[in-house]
Amino acid sequence: MSAPKTLYDKIWDAHVVSEDADGTCLLYIDRHLVHEVTSPQAFEGLRLTGRKVRCPEKTIAVPDHNVPTTEGRETHIDNEESRIQVEALDKNAKDFGINYYPVTDIRQGIVHIVGPEQGWTLPGMTVVCGDSHTATHGAFGALAHGIGTSEVEHVLATQTLIQKKSKNMKVEITGKLKPGVTAKDITLAVIGLTGTAGGTGHVIEYCGEAIRALSMEGRMTVCNMAIEGGARAGLIAPDETTFDYVRGRAHAPKGAQWEAALNWWKTLFTDDGAHFDKVVTIRGEDIEPVVTWGTSPEDVLPISAVVPAPEDFTGGKVEAAKRALDYMGLTPGQKLTDIAIDTVFIGSCTNGRIEDLRAAAEIVKGKKIKDGMRAMVVPGSGLVRHQAEEEGIAQIFIDAGFEWRLAGCSMCLAMNPDQLGEYERCASTSNRNFEGRQGYKGRTHLVSPAMAAAAALTGHLTDVREMM
Amino acid sequence: MEKFTKVTGIAAPMPLVNIDTDMIIPKGFLKTIKRTGLGVHAFDEMRYDRQGNENPDFVLNKPQYRKAEILVAGDNFGCGSSREHAPWALADFGIKVIVSTSFADIFFNNSFKNGMLPIVLPQAEVDLLMADAEKGANARMTVDLEAQEITTSDGHVIKFEVDQFKKHCLLNGLDDIGLTLEKVSAIHDFETKSAQSRPWV
């Protein structure tokens, strides 16, 4: 009998095209997702060398990073550089014959929301994209990770990547979550514990009762931020929740192929006794709604805590904490719930799915946002937007004073006009609180959609449990 | 790709931990459709004020470090986004080697694709190199990829590890895609087999 394997081992083994003596492998890529920012130079490289896209049918492109989220964008994008990038993607998609969802298509949205929604992402696949949050697709039990533009060109030309295998890491969330605690709180709590380099060199498999209980939307939120934990990828073994989500989607297998696929997918789990190089266990009951206070996603604290002092840390983190407190304009000892908020952003590949919008709407329903607050909801795709409108969720946000936008990455990375002004402070459902991430000198506090909604109503960081 | 063999140059100290890709190249500069010309924007928000004036306190603006070719950095350098604009900007600035205790995975891989060598060393050795870099322009280090050695300005030698395949590619300036296409029949065989075993892909 062969040695017990992890889920990662199984997917890896199924995709090795060739292996050199030193362990360097050529890994086959099943799905390649492409967006406008990290691909122009790769397509240019193909043209310069006279190469073609090897598998256009496995390549899917959508503009998301640059696109405005306001009406009229189908006909005109004001920012010239953004427009050129989007037009370059239009042209490249056409010239190379790849699958494409332009802004005029209701299925357009953030690449990591569109892939699963359209059934491109399936269990056991290898999925790459020139974007670090490709980790999202790991929620399906697919090995998914971000790559640079040189690797984008490599995959376009060869449908493979040159890779060495990472180590196996297990993150187990036992038991049940308490009310008001969400997938976002899980993933932030893990990074708070292990640090932004805690997963470096590893692929994380998330498991345990609390993970099993999550919907696909929640699982995508957890895996999305595996990259902030430093991991190459995050994975969750597929189960009935996964199969129910995938079944019937546009590009999911049908009929006899569905049955064959399902048979294989059901073998995609970590065998008893398989070896993990690193194991982290957190009790679900111990996780509180969390927020970030600093400028690294590892700067995580429960909402009930106070702003830390630099001397609470050791090593290089002391200086980093000093710099972060200065940048964020915070004082050690200050209660997190006393931090006033100017802007609320609900959206992104982390939290721009229908379940995220439902959770936020639940808190907002029948109430108004704080006077002077700028609050926006940016659905992750045109289809999420449409569904939210059908369910009456859009109207709840609009009635409360939120801006209801078109789909895109928006203020998560602020490449389009949705940006923070200097010193503006934002409760954001996105994934990074780096300096300048949401706008020059802008200040970001990462939270769950429900926590963001609560802050929009009160005007300060708020424990959502007090509003439930 | 240009060959990388040996670099003797000025090392700049950047002890801050978690220097992320948004710091290395802010998003405003990702709108280019070229690979070149980003060096002037490397570390933009740390390096310039909003009017475009240089911040004199930023290490690469100091006279002794303006021509640095080596960075000695704090833990977890290059964390964040997959943007290859980060290594493009550093390479265009003239950086050839980055030393840290750890690098974010994607940044690490991207660096090699652009003829740069990221070197991982234990904390004590990074501290020693950091102290050497603090000496300024008179402290020139030598990084020898073939021998896998860094020699400090006072002759101290530190050995480092590097993936042998990546080393081979750097030393010979090899293009990955060209190498992979030599294995095109293996890719074809995999696809044929896969069409049977996983036809839904």
Side-chain angles (χ1 to χ4, degrees):
Chain A
M1 213 179 93
S2 59
K5 289 181 177 183
T6 64
L7 171 58
Y8 171 50
D9 297 338
K10 289 181 183 179
I11 303 173
W12 175 273
D13 290 350
H15 289 85
V16 174
V17 172
S18 69
E19 181 166 357
D20 293 343
D22 73 340
T24 301
C25 291
L26 204 55
L27 200 69
Y28 196 79
I29 302 303
D30 293 327
R31 292 285 180 265
H32 186 191
L33 308 174
V34 174
H35 65 83
E36 78 278 23
V37 176
T38 56
S39 67
Q41 294 87 349
F43 286 111
E44 182 64 14
L46 293 186
R47 285 198 179 89
L48 289 172
T49 49
R51 288 169 179 149
K52 291 189 177 126
V53 175
R54 182 174 177 86
C55 301
E57 73 283 5
K58 294 173 183 171
T59 312
I60 301 100
V62 59
D64 57 4
H65 282 56
N66 263 304
V67 296
T69 56
T70 43
E71 300 288 344
R73 66 181 189 176
E74 304 80 5
T75 51
H76 188 73
I77 297 176
D78 283 335
N79 183 289
E80 193 187 349
E81 290 174 300
S82 295
R83 190 175 67 244
I84 290 170
Q85 275 195 338
V86 173
E87 286 170 357
L89 189 63
D90 287 343
K91 179 170 165 45
N92 288 329
K94 188 161 164 269
D95 288 358
F96 290 94
I98 61 184
N99 299 287
Y100 189 47
Y101 302 100
V103 283
T104 47
D105 192 316
I106 192 177
R107 297 167 296 179
Q108 178 271 344
I110 306 171
V111 65
H112 307 307
I113 293 189
V114 173
E117 215 167 57
Q118 294 303 318
W120 290 112
T121 307
L122 298 172
M125 280 185 163
T126 45
V127 181
V128 296
C129 174
D131 187 281
S132 58
H133 290 108
T134 310
T136 312
H137 308 266
F140 291 80
L143 177 58
H145 59 84
I147 54 177
T149 299
S150 295
E151 290 180 316
V152 169
E153 188 179 338
H154 192 281
V155 177
L156 289 172
T158 70
Q159 205 59 32
T160 64
L161 268 185
I162 300 170
Q163 293 268 292
K164 261 195 178 165
K165 200 172 171 204
S166 303
K167 292 179 184 166
N168 280 288
M169 175 168 172
K170 176 161 94 169
V171 173
E172 184 175 13
I173 314 294
T174 62
K176 292 187 170 58
L177 299 179
K178 290 189 292 193
V181 179
T182 67
K184 183 65 167 287
D185 300 295
I186 293 181
T187 203
L188 282 171
V190 171
I191 299 162
L193 185 71
T194 59
T196 49
T200 302
H202 293 77
V203 166
I204 296 176
E205 182 178 346
Y206 298 95
C207 60
E209 188 187 346
I211 298 290
R212 282 286 135 229
L214 293 175
S215 65
M216 284 317 294
E217 285 86 352
R219 293 179 189 187
M220 283 189 257
T221 301
V222 170
C223 289
N224 173 274
M225 290 191 73
I227 186 70
E228 274 69 37
R232 171 148 273 259
L235 281 173
I236 294 173
D239 58 12
E240 288 304 322
T241 304
T242 322
F243 309 143
D244 288 346
Y245 179 98
V246 170
R247 191 179 286 115
R249 300 216 169 240
H251 296 278
K254 313 274 184 311
Q257 286 206 4
W258 170 264
E259 294 305 324
L262 199 58
N263 279 337
W264 186 55
W265 295 344
K266 286 180 175 172
T267 67
L268 298 175
F269 55 83
T270 291
D271 297 330
D272 285 341
H275 174 73
F276 283 95
D277 302 278
K278 199 167 177 177
V279 177
V280 172
T281 306
I282 300 178
R283 279 166 30 105
E285 296 83 354
D286 291 344
I287 302 175
E288 278 195 63
V290 294
V291 300
T292 61
W293 57 268
T295 54
S296 167
E298 69 191 13
D299 298 339
V300 174
L301 283 172
I303 184 65
S304 56
V306 299
V307 174
E311 48 272 25
D312 296 342
F313 301 93
T314 55
K317 192 69 188 172
V318 178
E319 276 306 311
K322 260 186 216 162
R323 186 183 168 97
L325 290 172
D326 180 55
Y327 182 88
M328 294 296 289
L330 297 175
T331 313
Q334 186 179 3
K335 285 171 71 174
L336 291 172
T337 49
D338 286 344
I339 296 173
I341 295 295
D342 309 304
T343 295
V344 166
F345 170 67
I346 297 175
S348 84
C349 59
T350 314
N351 283 129
R353 285 168 286 268
I354 190 69
E355 185 184 273
D356 301 312
L357 305 195
R358 285 182 192 141
E362 188 69 28
I363 302 299
V364 168
K365 196 172 186 175
K367 302 196 178 82
K368 297 274 184 204
I369 60 171
K370 178 88 173 172
D371 279 349
M373 173 74 61
R374 169 162 73 134
M376 64 165 93
V377 181
V378 184
S381 71
L383 290 175
V384 169
R385 186 173 195 264
H386 178 71
Q387 188 177 354
E389 286 170 351
E390 293 284 303
E391 291 184 14
I393 290 171
Q395 202 55 49
I396 292 174
F397 287 120
I398 294 165
D399 290 346
F402 280 82
E403 295 173 45
W404 179 247
R405 296 296 193 91
L406 299 172
C409 298
S410 179
M411 203 189 266
C412 173
L413 85 166
M415 271 192 82
N416 77 347
D418 307 337
Q419 305 185 0
L420 292 182
E422 288 186 36
Y423 310 114
E424 205 175 335
R425 192 182 292 282
C426 181
S428 178
T429 67
S430 55
N431 41 57
R432 289 195 180 128
N433 51 354
F434 296 158
E435 290 181 17
R437 172 78 178 181
Q438 295 192 290
Y440 182 72
K441 300 276 185 204
R443 294 162 168 170
T444 304
H445 296 276
L446 301 176
V447 290
S448 73
M451 289 280 282
L457 301 178
T458 62
H460 55 85
L461 291 178
T462 299
D463 189 337
V464 68
R465 292 171 296 189
E466 291 164 10
M467 309 188 80
M468 291 167 64
Chain B
M1 201 169 73
E2 217 173 299
K3 291 179 184 177
F4 183 116
T5 48
K6 191 190 263 193
V7 173
T8 299
I10 297 160
M14 296 191 83
L16 188 64
V17 300
N18 296 330
I19 291 179
D20 58 66
T21 50
D22 281 72
M23 284 181 182
I24 299 170
I25 189 79
K27 63 206 156 259
F29 305 107
L30 307 189
K31 298 189 183 194
T32 175
I33 55 171
K34 301 191 180 123
R35 292 171 200 250
T36 50
L38 288 168
V40 67
H41 304 301
F43 300 107
D44 193 84
E45 289 179 6
M46 301 162 100
R47 197 162 147 204
Y48 309 105
D49 66 16
R50 279 307 243 184
Q51 285 68 49
N53 304 308
E54 286 189 0
N55 163 16
D57 296 331
F58 182 66
V59 61
L60 298 177
N61 287 335
K62 293 180 181 173
Q64 63 272 38
Y65 296 116
R66 297 181 81 92
K67 291 193 164 28
E69 292 177 87
I70 301 165
L71 288 182
V72 185
D75 308 344
N76 200 27
F77 188 87
C79 59
S81 141
S82 66
R83 60 187 71 164
E84 199 159 317
H85 309 67
W88 290 339
L90 296 176
D92 196 51
F93 178 90
I95 300 297
K96 298 192 169 67
V97 178
I98 308 164
V99 181
S100 178
T101 56
S102 60
F103 291 88
D105 201 35
I106 306 175
F107 176 86
F108 188 76
N109 283 327
N110 283 343
S111 297
F112 284 101
K113 313 274 182 204
N114 291 281
M116 280 197 297
L117 174 62
I119 300 176
V120 179
L121 288 173
Q123 186 72 55
E125 292 180 332
V126 172
D127 289 348
L128 193 145
L129 293 174
M130 192 73 77
D132 199 41
E134 298 280 1
K135 291 179 192 162
N138 295 325
R140 293 164 72 86
M141 292 180 196
T142 297
V143 179
D144 184 339
L145 177 57
E146 181 65 59
Q148 297 182 213
E149 282 176 0
I150 303 175
T151 310
T152 64
S153 61
D154 50 12
H156 193 90
V157 175
I158 291 173
K159 300 288 279 183
F160 63 87
E161 294 295 318
V162 59
D163 180 276
Q164 291 307 300
F165 175 72
K166 291 187 166 97
K167 176 179 174 177
H168 174 71
C169 289
L170 274 186
L171 284 174
N172 297 290
L174 294 176
D175 159 34
D176 277 357
I177 298 177
L179 285 177
T180 298
L181 287 175
E182 288 172 10
K183 297 181 181 168
V184 73
S185 66
I187 299 172
H188 182 77
D189 290 350
F190 182 93
E191 284 173 338
T192 308
K193 210 172 57 183
S194 184
Q196 298 297 317
S197 60
R198 298 185 305 138
W200 60 87
V201 176

